[in-house]
Amino acid sequence: GPFGFALGGVSSATVAIETDREHLAEVLGLVREIMREPSFPVDEFEKLKHETLAGLEESKSDPNALALNLFQRISRPTYTKEDPRYTMTFEEAAAALAALTPDQAPEFYKTFYGASYATAAVVGDFDSKQIETVLRESFGDWRNPSEYQRIPIEYEPVTARSETINTPDKANAFYVAGCGFAMREDDPEFPALRIGGHLIGGGFLNSRLATRIRQKEGLSYGVGGGFFASPLDRDAVLVLERLQDLL
C-alpha cells in the first residue's frame, strides 16, 4: 500500500514515498504542497518539543545513549558549541530545545529551504516523461534563499583514553570503543578494511565477535562493530559495541 515519510534536519530535508503508477503524480502534488506550503501549527510544534525533551530526559540515564554521546564528543574534541558539527550533551540539547519558540521554525524554513540543490530518484513502474514534468513544475522554480556549502568532517587525531559512566539504576551496561584515522572510500586500502571490519563484527550471530562473545561464551546478548569511512572526507573509524546484561 501507499507509504511515505518526511524528515527535516539541520542541513537537509528528505521525502520518501511509495505508491502505484496511477497515483504517483497525485502523491507528488501532495509532496509539493507539504514542502512549499507548510502551516507550522503551534500546537504540533509544542507537542514535538515536549516529546523530544522527554526523550532527552530518558537518554540522560540510558547506558547506550550516554556511551554513544560521549564517544562522539571525545572523537571530535576541537568543535565548539557554535560549530554545527559539535555534539551537545543531553543537558545542553535540552536547554537549547527548551529555549525554542514557535516562530523560529518558519524563520528557519524561510532562510534555508529550497530545491536548488535537490535530487530525485524514482524506481519502478511509472511514466518517466510525466513524472519529470511533474517534478519540474512542482520544484523547478523553488530556489534556495541561501547558498549551499558542504561542511567537511575530517579526521581529528585523538589521544587514547578510557571513560566510565556509572548508571547504578540500570540493569545493563553498554561498551563502545573505536579507533579513527584519515581514510576515504576511494583509498586503495578501503575494500580490505571494510571486509575485515564486517568479518570481525558485522554479523549479528555469525561475526567473529558474535561467535565468541555471544554464541560461545554467552557473555553478551548483542555485540558487533565494523569499519566505516566517508565517501567525501578523509574520516574513518573502526568501532566495536557490546551490550552487557548485568542481571
Side-chain angles (χ1 to χ4, degrees):
F3 162 83
F5 71 84
L7 297 172
V10 174
S11 59
S12 66
T14 301
V15 177
I17 57 172
E18 183 176 329
T19 186
D20 56 20
R21 181 188 180 98
E22 179 185 355
H23 296 96
L24 180 56
E26 182 182 355
V27 172
L28 287 174
L30 290 173
V31 171
R32 187 211 68 81
E33 180 182 339
I34 292 168
M35 296 296 289
R36 301 192 64 171
E37 303 172 23
S39 59
F40 296 105
V42 174
D43 57 337
E44 290 295 328
F45 177 89
E46 295 295 349
K47 180 181 176 183
L48 179 60
K49 180 176 174 179
H50 177 77
E51 290 175 352
T52 308
L53 281 168
L56 287 170
E57 189 62 34
E58 198 172 291
S59 294
K60 290 178 183 178
S61 61
D62 177 64
N64 298 41
L66 285 168
L68 292 172
N69 178 264
L70 181 59
F71 179 78
Q72 185 66 25
R73 288 171 55 78
I74 62 179
S75 298
R76 313 284 184 192
T78 62
Y79 297 153
T80 63
K81 291 183 180 180
E82 294 73 29
D83 195 311
R85 295 167 294 185
Y86 173 76
T87 299
M88 294 183 180
T89 65
F90 296 126
E91 288 77 13
E92 289 171 338
L97 189 61
L100 287 181
T101 57
D103 60 316
Q104 288 176 291
E107 187 62 32
F108 183 92
Y109 174 84
K110 291 174 187 175
T111 304
F112 294 106
Y113 270 58
S116 301
Y117 309 96
T119 58
V122 187
V123 180
D125 181 15
F126 66 99
D127 183 326
S128 59
K129 289 185 178 180
Q130 177 204 25
I131 298 308
E132 183 176 347
T133 299
V134 170
L135 287 170
R136 290 191 182 280
E137 291 177 350
S138 299
F139 303 106
D141 62 345
W142 191 27
R143 314 310 297 171
N144 279 63
S146 306
E147 188 74 14
Y148 169 75
Q149 183 177 348
R150 194 181 73 85
I151 302 175
I153 301 179
E154 300 284 350
Y155 164 71
E156 291 185 58
V158 179
T159 302
R161 60 193 280 190
S162 177
E163 296 279 351
T164 300
I165 304 174
N166 290 314
T167 54
D169 60 325
K170 299 297 180 181
N172 64 352
F174 184 80
Y175 170 87
V176 57
C179 175
F181 44 95
M183 179 179 285
R184 206 167 59 180
E185 284 189 356
D186 58 355
D187 283 354
E189 300 89 353
F190 170 74
L193 285 168
R194 187 76 175 90
I195 293 171
H198 183 76
L199 289 172
I200 292 170
F204 181 65
L205 295 176
N206 296 319
S207 68
R208 294 188 182 181
L209 280 170
T211 301
R212 177 63 182 269
I213 294 175
R214 175 181 166 140
Q215 307 285 64
K216 183 178 179 181
E217 306 286 348
L219 297 174
S220 176
Y221 176 75
V223 61
F227 173 78
F228 308 96
S230 169
L232 299 174
D233 301 314
R234 297 190 60 73
D235 182 50
V237 62
L238 175 67
V239 64
L240 308 176
E241 298 178 359
R242 180 178 60 153
L243 178 64
Q244 175 74 46
D245 189 344
L246 300 181
L247 287 180

